[in-house]
Amino acid sequence: MTTQSFTKMAPPQWLLDMWQEIDAKTFGKGFDCFAEDAVCNLGVADWHGRETIRENLRAFIDTGFTAKHQVVEYWDSPSLKIFHGTVGMKFDDPGIPTKHPSMVHLFYMDDADPSKVSRWIGAVGPTGF
């Protein structure tokens, strides 16, 4: 068994920068928070490498909607960061109403460089029942 203490605090700038890159559809320096060999598991996604994460998220976001991430809470520990929030999903199709699913993301920090994310696990939704 492992015990870990967390502190509820404001989200760090690296995390806000990453969400902003997604919301603005720019996918630039905000992704530098990931280690070069980072792994990302979002739902069924299994992406390996910072550039693969960047490009696959770009392809996903470019499928007909614009996202706007909102912070609900952020919990910090030295090796694991937990983010809870919502994401507004405004669809290009005006017939689809904007969705606001809940999301939770776990960010495991890299052992060699604790300023970088080595693994990102996230779940969003559902967007409806």
Side-chain angles (χ1 to χ4, degrees), residues 78-95:
S79 61
L80 175 62
K81 319 303 183 182
I82 302 173
F83 172 87
H84 169 227
T86 61
V87 58
M89 300 170 74
K90 182 174 173 37
F91 294 88
D92 296 346
D93 179 345

Side-chain angles (χ1 to χ4, degrees), residues 114-128:
S115 71
K116 301 285 185 185
V117 175
S118 64
R119 184 157 186 218
W120 174 16
I121 300 172
V124 179
T127 59

Side-chain angles (χ1 to χ4, degrees), residues 6-12 14-20 22-23 42 68-77 80-88 101-108 117 120-124:
F6 289 86
T7 302
K8 185 176 183 181
M9 57 192 303
W14 64 263
L15 184 61
L16 297 175
D17 290 347
M18 184 198 72
W19 293 131
Q20 178 56 35
I22 295 169
D23 293 350
L42 296 177
K68 178 62 177 153
H69 293 83
Q70 298 292 323
V71 176
V72 174
E73 58 187 323
Y74 173 80
W75 291 85
D76 196 321
S77 77
L80 175 62
K81 319 303 183 182
I82 302 173
F83 172 87
H84 169 227
T86 61
V87 58
S102 181
M103 59 181 183
V104 174
H105 297 273
L106 306 177
F107 296 95
Y108 292 87
V117 175
W120 174 16
I121 300 172
V124 179

Side-chain angles (χ1 to χ4, degrees), residues 25-74:
K25 297 185 178 187
T26 51
F27 299 92
K29 289 186 179 240
F31 281 79
D32 291 349
C33 65
F34 292 101
E36 190 173 318
D37 61 347
V39 174
C40 176
N41 300 110
L42 296 177
V44 298
D46 184 31
W47 302 328
H48 295 256
R50 177 177 51 226
E51 296 312 312
T52 300
I53 295 167
R54 184 190 321 258
E55 291 311 313
N56 283 320
L57 273 172
R58 181 191 318 265
F60 173 67
I61 294 295
D62 282 345
T63 59
F65 72 95
T66 300
K68 178 62 177 153
H69 293 83
Q70 298 292 323
V71 176
V72 174
E73 58 187 323
Y74 173 80

